Amino acid sequence: MKLVLIGCPGAGKGTQAKILSEKFDIAHISTGDLLREQVAGGTPLGLKLKEIMASGGLVSDDIVEGLLEERIKKDDCKNGYILDGYPRNVSQAEGLSKIVGELDSVVVIDVPDDAIIERMSGRRSCGSCGAMYHTKYNPPKEEGVCDKCGAKLVLRADDNPETVKHRLDVYHEQTAPVIGFYEKQGIVYKADGSQAIEKVTEELTSYLEKI
């Protein structure tokens, strides 16, 4: 089973990718993780990537495709894999086709923008122990204070409403054409990502068991 999982920031694609990976015994591949592994390992490529990332530059498609090509040769990919958040643009989608051939499905976790903004801008994290909360869905016992260690809770820069809106704009600009690219192949399935995590998993499992 060869799958691509697409969703805007905060849609829950990473969460679903991990669950589906275990459920269907297929590898969960995040290109972000592949890049971070190279940097952490201090490889020659990792040192180059560290420089690119530190300067705010974009890692070339060639580098990502090369890492991906090596990754899918590993034993845990023999039964299949799920690509989490890649490809992000049509150029990457075309490059991916050359590496993996035909995909079984492209699953889009669909969540309205206003729900994403509420979901992400309500997140709060503890600056001391890293515990995560949400002002609406998982509030701390005392507002602004961590239940676990008593430290102050903060709104991360990534979760600032203006930042979230910008990330959504980038997603729609770059990724909407990717969905269109795969829709022409008739392999796109859109799941309602505004449901509870368990319900999304249930919907995706029911769909994937049929392909």
Side-chain angles (χ1 to χ4, degrees), residues 8-12 110-124 133-137 155-172 193-194:
C8 60
D110 223 5
V111 185
D113 284 8
D114 55 354
I116 288 291
I117 292 165
E118 180 189 52
R119 190 182 285 186
M120 293 183 75
S121 61
R123 294 198 296 206
R124 297 292 183 272
Y133 299 88
H134 194 282
T135 52
K136 182 177 179 181
Y137 304 111
L155 173 67
R156 297 184 306 187
D158 272 2
D159 294 333
N160 179 290
E162 289 308 311
T163 306
V164 175
K165 283 176 191 169
H166 173 69
R167 291 174 70 195
L168 285 169
D169 287 344
V170 171
Y171 170 80
H172 291 305
S194 56

Side-chain angles (χ1 to χ4, degrees), residues 28 39 42 48 53 68 70 90 103 116 120 134 163 210:
H28 170 206
V39 173
K48 183 180 174 185
M53 291 171 173
L68 200 52
E70 286 304 308
V90 172
L103 293 164
I116 288 291
M120 293 183 75
H134 194 282
T163 306
K210 294 171 190 168

Side-chain angles (χ1 to χ4, degrees), residues 83-98:
L83 295 176
D84 172 5
Y86 186 90
R88 293 174 187 267
N89 56 52
V90 172
S91 170
Q92 290 178 353
E94 290 168 345
L96 182 64
S97 299
K98 293 169 190 168

